[in-house]
Amino acid sequence: MTKQIIRAYLPSDNMALFDIFKHYIPSDFAPSEIYDFDTYLKEYWSTYFTIEIDGQIAGGIGYQLIDVDTTGQIKWILLHPDYVGKGLGKMAIEHCLAIFKSNLKIQKAIVTTSQLAYRFFEKFGFVLQRTEKDFWGKGLDLYQLEKPF
């Protein structure tokens, strides 16, 4: 039986997470975004979670509270290509949404992604709000989605 967990991020997870990130450059992330991910982990480590399957790091997901803590933003969802399609992304999104729903101040959730992943978030009730061509890099457009609570 496969054991899937989501746990608090540890600095010792960095190497595995950065290796996963590199699988998606330049197809899903612009090369410059690895710096943004590193900065996020340094500043917001307490809101990042590591996803494991059978004891192996399979990915991660994080969040931030913005707009005077009334908006929860899902950040940096990553899954190793070997683990895509195994329900880990769904588990990760549901984990963050549960955190948001447990905080009565949070009125909505947002996610900023690209044209490559936005349909995944629509499955959870996120609705497309805006797009911006080449926002993340050449050929990687911004897709901002929102889900009210």
Side-chain angles (χ1 to χ4, degrees):
M1 184 172 171
T2 303
K3 183 178 179 186
Q4 302 173 349
I5 64 165
I6 188 163
R7 62 165 173 79
Y9 159 82
L10 300 169
S12 58
D13 299 335
N14 275 8
M15 184 182 293
L17 291 170
F18 281 95
D19 284 346
I20 293 167
F21 194 100
K22 290 174 185 174
H23 280 277
Y24 295 101
I25 296 173
S27 61
D28 295 67
F29 291 112
S32 62
E33 289 184 271
I34 201 159
Y35 172 80
D36 298 334
F37 180 56
D38 184 48
T39 300
Y40 173 86
L41 289 177
K42 288 175 181 169
E43 293 180 20
Y44 301 101
W45 59 269
S46 65
T47 61
Y48 202 75
F49 301 94
T50 300
I51 302 164
E52 289 185 0
I53 186 166
D54 293 333
Q56 297 295 311
I57 294 176
I61 190 169
Y63 72 89
Q64 277 181 271
L65 299 181
I66 57 176
D67 297 334
V68 194
D69 298 340
T70 62
T71 301
Q73 183 175 16
I74 293 176
K75 305 285 283 186
W76 299 112
I77 183 167
L78 302 170
L79 288 176
H80 189 282
D82 291 347
Y83 299 113
V84 171
K86 299 191 183 301
L88 299 176
K90 179 180 185 224
M91 178 181 74
I93 297 298
E94 288 174 347
H95 182 80
C96 283
L97 291 177
I99 291 170
F100 297 159
K101 288 177 184 174
S102 72
N103 181 338
L104 297 179
K105 286 179 68 177
I106 297 178
Q107 299 170 10
K108 66 182 174 181
I110 62 170
V111 64
T112 53
T113 189
S114 73
Q115 71 273 23
L116 303 172
Y118 82 98
R119 295 223 180 263
F120 172 72
F121 294 97
E122 288 181 330
K123 295 176 186 177
F124 299 91
F126 283 87
V127 177
L128 184 62
Q129 299 297 305
R130 74 181 187 102
T131 63
E132 188 174 330
K133 186 128 182 81
D134 296 330
F135 180 86
W136 307 109
K138 183 81 172 140
L140 292 172
D141 304 339
L142 167 76
Y143 276 62
Q144 183 174 322
L145 297 97
E146 184 176 296
K147 175 183 176 66
F149 292 120

